[in-house]
Amino acid sequence: MKPLICVSHVKEAAAAGKHELYVEPGAIITAAASDYARDKGIAFVEKQTAPAAPDVHKPAAGSVKGLDKGLVAEIVRQVLLSRGQAAQPYREEKDDSGLKVVRGHSVTYEVFDTGNPVTKVGYREVISKTESHMSSGFLTIDHSSFTWTLTGYEETDIILEGSLSITINGKTYYASQGDVLFIPKDATVVWNAEDHVKLFYSTYPADWAG
């Protein structure tokens, strides 16, 4: 049976200050583990290709095979930024008709300002008001809680990874992977994630940020 790599394994590596997590060849890495590793800057490396004394300037041949695609995208973005070049926040394909395909594993995140610098919340808008009457994108919440008012817009969310609770009018509701949330216009809600959660959102109208 192939070993399964979960978020807990990545968290242990992060707590130990590691930047590489050695895994057995053919190990199954969950999507949540891949996302968390990307956020923490941790690379997956197969044990059979792991060097005895890693050379940070020259990766061992074959070690790239164990890297998460999202992490590779983030590394490339950081290199381009260090050279003063603009880096795309995600890879996309567009058709003249307006159709657009966004490669989810390539999406990088920027800090979402909740008004509380302690919270760990990131987002990336992938469909903007210049493209649609709706705005859509990805949102991650990591062990954080914050209050938000949807001033002038409504929102629909689908949980892609993890679980969270949302409180409105004094009542708390829970949602996990695969669940869909609808939040009405002008509602004030409290988002809370006891672990890492990732969701995809759509707002109407598109100009949710005012």
Side-chain angles (χ1 to χ4, degrees), residues 56-100:
V56 296
H57 301 293
K58 185 178 180 181
S63 63
V64 174
K65 183 178 179 181
L67 288 176
D68 173 73
K69 292 181 180 179
L71 179 58
V72 173
E74 177 61 17
I75 291 173
V76 172
R77 188 180 74 87
Q78 292 296 337
V79 170
L80 291 174
L81 288 176
S82 69
R83 295 179 179 178
Q85 302 178 30
Q88 295 298 320
Y90 53 84
R91 290 198 298 108
E92 63 179 23
E93 294 180 43
K94 288 185 175 182
D95 183 78
D96 292 339
S97 66
L99 182 144
K100 178 176 179 179

Side-chain angles (χ1 to χ4, degrees), residues 10-202:
V10 183
K11 287 183 177 180
E12 290 178 2
K18 297 180 180 179
H19 297 290
E20 293 181 334
L21 179 58
Y22 296 107
V23 300
E24 296 292 340
I28 299 173
I29 302 172
T30 66
S34 294
D35 288 341
Y36 194 80
R38 180 194 63 214
D39 293 341
K40 298 299 181 181
I42 297 175
F44 295 106
V45 182
E46 289 190 355
K47 288 185 178 180
Q48 64 182 20
T49 61
D55 182 355
V56 296
H57 301 293
K58 185 178 180 181
S63 63
V64 174
K65 183 178 179 181
L67 288 176
D68 173 73
K69 292 181 180 179
L71 179 58
V72 173
E74 177 61 17
I75 291 173
V76 172
R77 188 180 74 87
Q78 292 296 337
V79 170
L80 291 174
L81 288 176
S82 69
R83 295 179 179 178
Q85 302 178 30
Q88 295 298 320
Y90 53 84
R91 290 198 298 108
E92 63 179 23
E93 294 180 43
K94 288 185 175 182
D95 183 78
D96 292 339
S97 66
L99 182 144
K100 178 176 179 179
V101 179
V102 175
R103 302 304 176 188
H105 63 75
S106 71
V107 174
T108 58
Y109 297 82
E110 59 182 304
V111 175
F112 182 82
D113 185 6
T114 66
N116 182 354
V118 177
T119 57
K120 297 179 181 179
V121 182
Y123 84 108
R124 174 62 64 189
E125 184 178 78
V126 296
I127 307 296
S128 69
K129 62 183 179 182
T130 61
E131 302 169 291
S132 171
H133 295 298
M134 299 187 299
S135 168
S136 300
F138 295 91
L139 179 75
T140 61
I141 308 173
D142 191 0
H143 296 82
S144 299
S145 178
F146 65 96
T147 301
W148 191 259
T149 299
L150 287 70
T151 305
Y153 69 95
E154 59 189 33
E155 178 174 330
T156 300
D157 306 283
I158 180 170
I159 311 299
L160 302 177
E161 299 287 346
S163 60
L164 56 74
S165 67
I166 185 168
T167 301
I168 183 170
N169 297 330
K171 296 181 180 179
T172 299
Y173 300 86
Y174 299 88
S176 57
Q177 183 178 17
D179 291 340
V180 175
L181 298 171
F182 171 72
I183 308 173
K185 177 180 176 181
D186 295 325
T188 296
V189 298
V190 179
W191 296 90
N192 181 63
E194 296 184 358
D195 206 321
H196 180 80
V197 63
K198 177 181 178 180
L199 55 86
F200 186 82
Y201 70 83
S202 288

